């Protein structure tokens, strides 16, 4: 393990933890603006997490160890997954870090624990959330894997680091295929982070909620971890999208100035994408749950089409 | 030395079969313990032998018995056989350990001696199938394996459901034997010998027939859809150690058979690989979809075995496809994926069956809707089941993930190189594979959630107690093996001499641990440590009720609706109203009927056809002497005519 790689581990984790709450608040802000409201401050998510850390944790008398370890495991899995997506600096891959399939399955690990914790408190809201989350994640999975296969096909590698390095080396020349993949990745981003039209992150109504239902029984520092890990997951998927399509600013050799410029550029790119997500969410209503499979089927055929175009081109 | 160890192990297994048989009249625990310790000891020896051969030793070959020329009972243990011996040894040892305690809680007094003995016979048969050096002895022990497992399935023969399951199993397993026999005979007709030797590189029609019939035979044994129906009948009906052995090991013997014949005997065509791949994909997806619907915990595990055998067959199919299209590296990777998944599935499925058996032992029901809240009542069992669930849901860093990622990587890397049409096929299979593994995560969230979490849903479940230590140690070893194989997969492959592009899971595991520790430290210093226990808010009900919880049925409802066209659930709803506008409801009936698609459209028509044909043929046998004399007369005339003609 090189010195650069250890530095990368530290830098990437730090940046993702610092920027993640910002993007979440930004999306909320954009949504508030489109509704003609002023909205909460862009730093609100930081305040919320700090406040939650100071509160006590409440457990149901029936809850088991699952409830207690889930926030930890969830956060750890998402943080390790965060090491798979370089935000600003792309080192040489080592130990298979950056493997796109492992990345996907680390997120699945977090989801597995979260869904179990949803069932643990014995409330029907949690069960509802878990059931819906596992169902949706199962039927979006073929699309996700096809999109990732398309990525692997285009870049001729399975490693996200190599993809980014390739993207940087070829400059900001965005090919049509890449734009098509970008659209598919955007759909996956919306689904994986529980946003409209799949889920509504703002409501706590049993008819609509999925992700919020699962974490309804979490409180205090545990809730803070759950909120933060959701924010980190959002940032990761955003970074995957922007760094593939707009790779400018990413550095492959470590210098302090380069790092600073890259970090600023990453935040700028992230802010723009957050704005797009906010506008996208505001422009449509939540879909009925059982209409979602047809949306996913559309995304699936769309991404299969990309590969078929690429295969026979 | 290895040959000696192997023979000692075989001898021990035989002793473990004979001792309780001789003492079958006496209901003494010591007899059963003696028999089962023979199994454990034999498993240790077998494990040693296979470890020697796997990590660098030479293949072992010797002839034990030759009754006449052209036929001999000879054994060859090469690396492939050694690998499957390892599977048998690992699972048998843990299952026997578990059975020492579990067997005592079975009914049937001195019959339990036979139970312990037959377990030994069953394991012995499997060991000898794997180490057979020619197809004839392979077949002989294959049949012995089928017969001994049938006896074990029928252990609780006094229950009607066991009898039904037993007959179902018997017919299916005999069909499998029939197909295997036919395949072996067709092969020997082609090559003129019963050896496992290459049968020529040109696929003659006879060879194709031999392959197809062997494939069907192995598919029936392995539970590939549409030949799968015996698994969900036989597994719930048989005692837990038997389910664990059958699901964990016996299904893998079918995999062994397929791989052995593909590697040593046939030189496959491309369409063979496509056939295996498609059958595997279909089994994987349908298996897990049916598992989601199943609420008998052992039935659910049986369906999930169908899914996993499907994944293994996918790996084998990919192996054939890649080796035919000239991609040896990817072919090796797929085969390694399939074999590694066989080992992993053997470990986590027997782990799941054993811990499910403990749960059934504690709650006296197999219906997961009657369980719940067991995580607090059976902490160890729940931890074991949880490890198995994480492993089978293919989540890192456990072993299920390590083998599935090999197959993923093989498909991902092949997409750039194979022919266009093959690419489309592989993409479809890739999507199905992803769907399978995500659905199996959903399935095990449901299973673990309904069985172990929240409030108990029945009095039995509320009064459940942790099982004795012997029923924890066996599965405990399996759970540790699952964790070890998951973390050290990359290193183990290197040690065995294969360089595969696996991510280093040991490093990822360490990272996970490091992150958890860092978060823990952060929380310790910067977060409030106050905790309080308080009732979950139940929308205003005075206290929390189990009936308000989400049930297993409820959990899988969204997927039921999404896949309703596969389940073919029929919902009939008839209502009668008082008025003409259909407003005031008078009475009505509603019925939800789950179609058993394969049973109603495939098995029953075939069975009816067999019965009809048999009835027609049986008319010849009317019990009247005159008729029989007529038959003899006609036969004599026919023979005379035949002889005169030629």
């Amino acid at each position: 393990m090189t010195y650069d790689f250890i530095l990368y581990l530290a830098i990437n984790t730090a940046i993702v933890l610092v920027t993640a709450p910002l993007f979440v608040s930004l999306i909320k802000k954009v949504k508030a603006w489109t509704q003609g409201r002023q909205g909460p401050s862009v730093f609100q998510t930081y305040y919320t997490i700090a406040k939650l850390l100071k509160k006590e944790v409440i457990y149901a008398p029936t809850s088991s160890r699952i409830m207690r370890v889930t926030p930890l495991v969830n956060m750890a899995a998402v943080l390790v997954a965060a090491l798979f997506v370089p935000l600003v600096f792309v080192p040489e891959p080592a130990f298979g870090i950056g493997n796109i399939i492992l990345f996907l399955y680390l997120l699945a690990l977090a989801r597995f624990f979260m869904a179990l914790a949803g069932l643990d408190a014995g409330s029907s809201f949690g069960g509802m959330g878990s059931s819906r989350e596992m169902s949706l994640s199962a039927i979006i999975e073929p699309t996700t894997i096809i999109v990732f296969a398309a990525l692997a096909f285009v870049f001729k590698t399975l490693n996200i680091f190599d993809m980014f390095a390739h993207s940087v080396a070829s400059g900001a020349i965005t090919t049509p295929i890449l734009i098509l993949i970008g659209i598919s990745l955007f759909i996956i981003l919306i689904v994986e982070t529980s946003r409209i039209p799949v889920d509504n992150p703002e409501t706590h109504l049993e008819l609509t909620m999925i992700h919020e239902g699962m974490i309804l029984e979490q409180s205090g520092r545990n809730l803070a971890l759950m909120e933060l890990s959701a924010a980190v997951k959002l940032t990761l998927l955003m970074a995957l999208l922007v760094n593939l399509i707009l790779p400018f600013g990413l550095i492959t050799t470590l210098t302090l100035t380069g790092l600073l410029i890259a970090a600023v550029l990453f935040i700028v790119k992230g802010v723009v994408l957050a704005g797009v997500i906010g506008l996208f969410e505001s422009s449509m209503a939540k879909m009925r749950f059982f209409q979602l499979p047809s949306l996913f089927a559309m995304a699936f055929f769309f991404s299969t089409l990309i590969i078929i175009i690429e295969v026979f081109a | 030395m290895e040959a000696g160890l192997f023979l000692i192990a075989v001898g021990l297994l035989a002793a473990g079969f004979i001792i309780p048989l001789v003492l079958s009249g006496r209901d003494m625990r010591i007899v059963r313990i003696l028999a089962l310790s023979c199994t454990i000891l034999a498993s240790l020896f077998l494990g040693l032998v296979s470890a020697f051969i796997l990590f660098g030793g030479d293949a072992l070959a010797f002839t034990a018995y030759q009754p006449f020329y052209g036929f001999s009972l000879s054994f060859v243990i090469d690396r492939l056989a050694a690998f499957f011996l390892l599977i048998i040894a690992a699972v048998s040892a843990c299952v026997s350990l578990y059975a020492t305690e579990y067997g005592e809680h079975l009914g049937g007094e001195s019959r339990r001696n036979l139970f312990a003995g037959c377990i030994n016979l069953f394991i012995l048969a499997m060991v000898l199938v794997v180490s057979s050096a020619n197809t004839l002895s392979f077949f002989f022990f294959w049949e012995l394996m089928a017969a001994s497992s049938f006896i074990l399935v029928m252990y609780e023969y006094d229950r009607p459901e066991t009898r039904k399951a037993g007959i179902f199993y018997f017919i299916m397993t005999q069909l499998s034997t029939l197909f295997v026999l036919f395949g072996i005979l067709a092969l020997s007709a082609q090559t003129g010998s019963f050896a496992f030797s290459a049968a020529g590189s040109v696929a003659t029609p006879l060879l194709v027939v031999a392959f197809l019939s062997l494939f069907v035979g192995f598919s029936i044994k392995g539970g590939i859809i549409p030949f799968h129906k015996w698994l969900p009948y036989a597994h719930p009906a048989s005692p837990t150690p038997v389910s664990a052995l059958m699901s964990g090991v016996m299904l893998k013997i079918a995999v062994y058979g397929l791989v052995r014949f593909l590697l040593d005997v046939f030189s496959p065509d491309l369409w063979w690989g496509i056939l295996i791949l498609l059958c595997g994909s279909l089994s994987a997806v349908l298996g897990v979809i049916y598992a989601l619907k199943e609420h008998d915990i052992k039935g659910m595990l049986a369906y999930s075995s169908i899914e996993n055998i499907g994944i293994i067959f996918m790996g084998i199919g990919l192996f054939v496809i890649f080796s035919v299209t000239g991609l040896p590296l990817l072919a090796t990777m797929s085969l390694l994926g399939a074999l590694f998944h066989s080992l992993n599935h053997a470990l986590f499925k027997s782990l799941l069956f054993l811990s499910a058996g403990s749960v059934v032992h504690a709650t006296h029901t197999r219906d997961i809707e009657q369980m719940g809240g067991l995580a607090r009542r059976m902490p160890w069992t729940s931890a074991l089941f949880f490890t198995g669930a994480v492993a089978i849901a293919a989540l890192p860093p456990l072993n299920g993930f390590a083998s599935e990622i090999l197959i993923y990587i093989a498909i991902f890397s092949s997409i750039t190189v194979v022919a266009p049409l093959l690419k489309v096929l592989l993409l479809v299979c890739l999507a199905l594979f992803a769907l399978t593994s995500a659905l199996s995560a959903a399935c095990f969230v449901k299973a673990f959630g309904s069985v172990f979490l929240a409030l108990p849903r029945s009095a039995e479940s509320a009064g459940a107690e942790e099982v004795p230590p012997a029923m924890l140690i066996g599965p405990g070893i399996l759970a540790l093996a699952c964790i070890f194989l998951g973390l050290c997969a990359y290193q183990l492959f290197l040690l065995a001499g294969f360089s595969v592009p696996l991510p280093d899971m040991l490093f990822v595991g360490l990272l996970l641990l490091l992150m958890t520790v860092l978060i823990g430290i952060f929380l310790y210093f910067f977060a409030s440590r106050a905790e309080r226990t308080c009732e979950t808010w139940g929308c205003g009900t005075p206290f929390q009720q189990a009936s308000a919880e989400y049930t297993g049925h409820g959990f899988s409802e969204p997927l039921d609706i999404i896949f309703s066209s596969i389940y073919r659930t029929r919902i009939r709803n008839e209502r009668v109203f008082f008025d003409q506008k259909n407003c005031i409801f008078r009475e009505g009936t509603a019925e939800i009927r789950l179609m058993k698609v394969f049973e109603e459209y495939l098995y029953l028509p075939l069975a009816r056809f067999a019965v009809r044909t048999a009835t027609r043929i049986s008319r010849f046998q009317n019990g009247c002497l005159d008729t029989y004399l007529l038959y003899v007369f006609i036969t004599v005339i026919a023979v005379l005519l035949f002889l005169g003609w030629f």
Side-chain angles (χ1 to χ4, degrees):
Chain A
M1 190 163 26
T2 59
Y3 182 61
D4 268 10
F5 197 74
I6 298 174
L7 265 181
Y8 160 77
L9 297 181
I11 292 171
N12 218 47
T13 313
I15 293 184
V16 84
L17 280 175
V18 170
T19 54
L22 177 71
F23 295 137
V24 173
S25 326
L26 261 174
I27 295 176
K28 280 189 185 147
K29 191 83 178 169
V30 172
K31 282 167 86 174
W33 280 341
T34 55
Q35 291 161 3
R37 294 187 286 120
Q38 197 182 353
S41 139
V42 287
F43 299 108
Q44 186 57 48
T45 313
Y46 296 96
Y47 303 149
T48 311
I49 289 172
K51 178 192 75 184
L52 286 173
L53 283 175
K54 290 200 203 89
K55 297 240 168 195
E56 67 178 349
V57 184
I58 300 175
Y59 292 114
T62 55
S63 65
S64 64
R65 283 167 294 179
I66 293 288
M67 197 74 179
R68 287 160 175 81
V69 299
T70 294
L72 273 177
V73 175
N74 192 35
M75 191 74 218
V78 172
L79 279 181
V80 174
L83 300 175
F84 283 52
V85 184
L87 301 181
V88 290
F89 164 53
V90 189
E92 281 291 304
F95 301 106
I97 297 287
N99 186 304
I100 201 159
I101 304 162
L102 184 52
F103 170 69
L104 208 60
Y105 275 78
L106 280 168
L107 295 184
L109 176 70
R111 187 187 305 127
F112 188 82
F113 272 86
M114 199 151 49
L116 282 180
L119 288 169
D120 201 11
S123 100
S124 30
F125 297 117
M128 216 174 276
S130 304
S131 154
R132 290 174 183 172
E133 170 83 6
M134 291 316 285
S135 308
L136 286 187
S137 74
I139 51 177
I140 192 67
E141 192 73 8
T143 313
T144 314
I145 207 85
I146 289 290
V147 172
F148 280 17
L151 279 178
F153 186 79
V154 172
F155 290 103
K156 309 270 181 285
T157 170
L158 277 172
N159 197 301
I160 300 178
F161 290 22
D162 290 336
M163 288 178 192
F164 283 0
H166 186 276
S167 206
V168 171
S170 64
I173 306 158
T174 311
T175 61
I177 290 285
L178 220 50
I179 295 175
L180 286 174
I181 290 183
I183 297 173
S184 300
L185 271 178
F186 187 76
I187 296 177
I188 291 172
L189 169 84
I190 295 290
V191 179
E192 287 279 333
T193 56
S194 318
R195 311 208 145 260
I196 288 176
V198 175
D199 184 6
N200 190 346
E202 254 104 81
T203 62
H204 285 92
L205 213 69
E206 70 264 34
L207 287 176
T208 53
M209 64 187 172
I210 300 176
H211 179 263
E212 292 298 319
M214 276 195 296
I215 61 171
L216 200 60
E217 299 301 330
Q218 303 282 0
S219 51
R221 57 169 193 270
N222 289 352
L223 184 58
L225 286 182
M226 296 306 255
E227 298 275 359
L228 188 59
S229 67
V232 169
K233 189 173 162 188
L234 171 74
T235 312
L236 286 186
L237 291 167
M238 283 168 66
L240 190 63
L241 182 58
V242 291
N243 282 352
L244 273 178
I245 297 194
L246 309 165
F248 57 83
L250 273 181
I251 48 172
T252 47
T253 47
L254 201 56
T255 54
L256 191 62
T257 47
L259 199 65
L260 284 176
I261 295 171
V264 171
L265 274 174
F266 172 70
I267 292 176
V268 171
K269 285 187 283 187
V271 167
V272 172
L273 184 58
V276 172
I277 294 173
L279 288 175
F280 179 81
E281 275 199 88
S282 310
S283 68
M284 57 179 67
K286 192 186 167 302
M287 281 176 101
R288 274 188 59 211
F289 186 78
F290 287 113
Q291 280 173 354
L292 290 174
S294 33
L295 176 78
F296 294 175
M298 227 164 62
F300 178 74
F301 288 120
F302 196 50
S303 43
T304 317
L305 201 66
I306 298 166
I307 298 206
I308 289 177
I309 291 171
E310 183 80 342
V311 164
F312 291 105
Chain B
M1 187 197 70
E2 286 107 5
L5 276 179
F6 178 74
L7 284 179
I8 294 175
V10 169
L12 274 171
L13 286 172
F17 169 56
I18 292 166
I19 293 171
L21 210 60
V22 172
L23 298 171
S24 63
R26 302 185 190 181
D27 180 21
M28 289 190 301
R29 187 171 187 192
I30 188 76
V31 178
R32 297 188 280 270
I33 290 199
L34 194 64
L36 290 171
S37 20
C38 282
T39 327
I40 295 169
L41 213 57
S43 305
L44 288 182
F45 286 139
L46 285 176
L48 272 180
V49 173
S50 57
F52 273 131
I53 294 170
L54 269 183
F55 294 108
D58 294 329
L60 185 67
F62 58 93
T63 303
Y65 174 62
Q66 186 164 25
F68 50 85
Y69 178 75
F71 174 70
S72 62
L73 276 185
S74 47
F75 302 108
V76 170
I77 305 176
D78 54 3
R79 287 182 96 181
L80 182 65
F83 181 75
F84 280 87
L85 274 187
L86 183 70
I87 295 181
I88 299 173
V91 176
S92 308
C94 299
V95 169
S96 316
L97 205 57
Y98 179 89
T100 51
E101 179 67 38
Y102 183 89
E104 299 310 308
H105 301 285
L106 284 172
E109 281 74 49
S110 59
R111 207 145 44 87
R112 290 179 289 189
N113 291 3
L114 288 182
F115 176 70
C118 279
I119 282 188
N120 274 304
L121 182 66
F122 183 38
I123 293 168
L124 179 67
M126 293 194 289
V127 166
L128 293 179
V129 169
V130 167
S131 42
S132 286
N134 55 50
T135 53
L136 212 55
S137 56
F138 178 89
F139 170 76
F140 178 75
F141 294 120
W142 179 271
E143 178 58 16
L144 182 63
M145 172 176 91
S148 53
S149 60
F150 170 69
I151 298 172
L152 287 170
V153 169
M154 285 296 274
Y155 181 75
E156 290 166 306
Y157 64 87
D158 35 3
R159 293 196 311 197
E161 58 163 299
T162 307
R163 280 204 292 272
K164 187 186 176 204
I167 289 170
F168 210 111
Y169 176 61
F170 185 73
I171 292 171
M172 293 305 279
T173 198
Q174 286 311 306
L175 269 180
S176 156
T177 308
L178 211 63
F179 276 107
V180 170
L181 176 65
F182 187 70
I184 286 173
L185 288 180
L187 254 185
S188 78
Q190 174 75 28
T191 60
S193 85
F194 288 111
F196 278 116
S197 55
S201 55
V202 187
T204 61
L206 198 58
L207 274 183
V208 171
V209 169
F211 164 71
L212 283 180
S213 98
L214 282 171
F215 178 64
V216 171
F218 294 139
S219 296
I220 296 175
K221 201 68 167 183
I224 288 292
I225 287 175
F227 312 113
H228 64 289
K229 209 59 213 203
W230 66 267
L231 280 124
Y233 279 118
H235 281 90
S238 40
T240 295
V242 179
S243 319
L245 276 178
M246 289 211 304
S247 208
V249 193
M250 193 180 72
L251 303 186
K252 307 305 170 316
I253 305 297
V255 173
Y256 167 79
L258 188 63
V259 173
R260 170 64 78 194
F261 277 97
L262 281 175
L263 280 178
D264 285 1
V265 179
F266 295 115
S267 38
D269 275 342
L270 183 62
W271 69 267
W272 296 15
I274 294 176
L275 175 75
I276 302 175
L277 178 66
L278 286 180
C279 285
S281 314
L282 192 74
S283 295
V285 173
L286 288 183
V288 71
I289 287 178
Y290 288 129
L292 267 167
K293 186 90 185 173
E294 189 68 45
H295 296 100
D296 177 324
I297 187 167
K298 285 170 98 180
M300 189 272 291
L301 291 175
Y303 273 118
S304 135
S305 289
I306 295 171
E307 170 223 328
N308 280 283
I309 292 291
I311 291 173
I312 296 168
F313 269 51
M314 282 177 84
I316 298 174
L318 288 173
F319 160 71
V320 172
I321 290 176
F322 293 148
S323 49
V324 170
T325 47
L327 300 163
L329 222 62
L330 290 179
T332 316
M333 202 148 76
S334 326
L335 186 61
L336 284 178
L339 293 179
F340 193 37
H341 198 68
S342 304
L343 172 63
N344 292 337
H345 179 246
L347 294 175
F348 55 62
K349 188 46 68 67
S350 42
L351 165 62
L352 285 168
F353 262 117
L354 293 184
S355 37
S358 304
V359 168
V360 174
H361 170 74
T363 59
H364 308 290
T365 173
R366 291 201 309 264
D367 184 3
I368 61 172
E369 304 292 20
Q370 302 296 320
M371 299 175 183
L374 293 177
R376 294 169 69 88
R377 290 166 182 81
M378 306 172 71
W380 291 103
T381 306
S382 77
L384 292 173
F385 192 92
F386 184 75
T387 315
V390 174
I392 202 170
L395 296 174
L398 262 62
N399 60 351
F401 174 74
S403 46
E404 288 197 13
I405 195 177
L406 269 176
I407 297 176
Y408 269 125
I409 293 176
I411 303 183
F412 267 67
S413 338
S414 71
I415 291 175
T416 44
V417 279
V418 292
L421 277 178
L422 213 49
K423 263 179 215 175
V424 176
L425 173 77
L426 287 181
L427 277 176
V428 172
C429 289
L430 177 67
L432 290 180
F433 187 31
L435 181 65
T436 306
S437 111
L439 282 176
S440 95
C443 180
F444 279 88
V445 166
K446 171 189 153 182
F448 188 81
S450 326
V451 175
F452 291 101
L453 300 181
L455 288 166
R457 296 193 182 88
S458 66
E460 284 87 1
S461 180
E465 278 172 14
E466 186 60 282
V467 290
M471 283 166 78
L472 294 172
I473 296 170
I477 298 169
L478 290 170
L480 288 180
C482 283
I483 296 169
F484 173 75
L485 281 183
L487 287 176
C488 302
Y490 177 70
Q491 284 78 3
L492 283 174
F493 273 115
L494 276 187
L495 201 63
F498 296 103
S499 176
V500 287
L502 269 181
D504 188 349
M505 293 309 291
L506 200 58
F507 184 68
V508 176
L510 278 178
L511 276 179
L512 274 173
L513 193 67
L514 177 76
M515 289 296 183
T516 315
V517 170
L518 285 180
I519 298 164
I521 292 173
F522 173 81
L523 287 183
Y524 186 81
F525 286 109
F526 296 100
S528 153
R529 267 167 267 160
E531 275 180 22
R532 188 152 58 91
T533 304
C534 188
E535 197 86 23
T536 309
W537 189 67
C539 300
T541 49
F543 50 87
Q544 217 183 343
Q545 286 168 325
S547 56
E549 278 167 22
Y550 232 55
T551 57
H553 274 100
F555 189 89
S556 53
E557 179 66 16
L559 287 167
D560 282 4
I561 293 178
I562 292 166
F563 293 112
S564 57
S565 53
I566 292 177
Y567 293 118
R568 308 198 66 83
T569 312
R570 297 272 167 83
I571 299 176
R572 210 169 48 81
N573 200 350
E574 283 169 5
R575 280 177 290 187
V576 184
F577 297 91
F578 280 111
D579 61 327
Q580 289 169 347
K581 296 265 171 65
N582 290 356
C583 291
I584 306 165
F585 178 75
R586 186 164 71 186
E587 59 182 344
T589 53
E591 181 192 31
I592 301 178
R593 202 162 68 95
L594 197 64
M595 285 259 283
K596 295 177 173 168
V597 183
F598 287 99
E599 224 165 281
E600 287 181 26
Y601 289 122
L602 185 70
Y603 288 68
L604 284 178
L606 273 179
R608 281 191 211 112
F609 174 74
V611 170
R612 266 205 311 276
T613 323
T615 322
R616 225 164 271 158
I617 291 173
S618 70
R619 280 193 206 134
F620 286 101
Q621 189 141 14
N622 58 0
C624 177
L625 189 64
D626 299 350
T627 324
Y628 293 142
L629 282 176
L630 182 67
Y631 294 157
V632 171
F633 181 65
I634 290 174
T635 315
V636 169
I637 297 285
V639 169
L640 280 177
L641 276 178
F642 182 80
L643 289 176
W645 212 277
F646 296 99

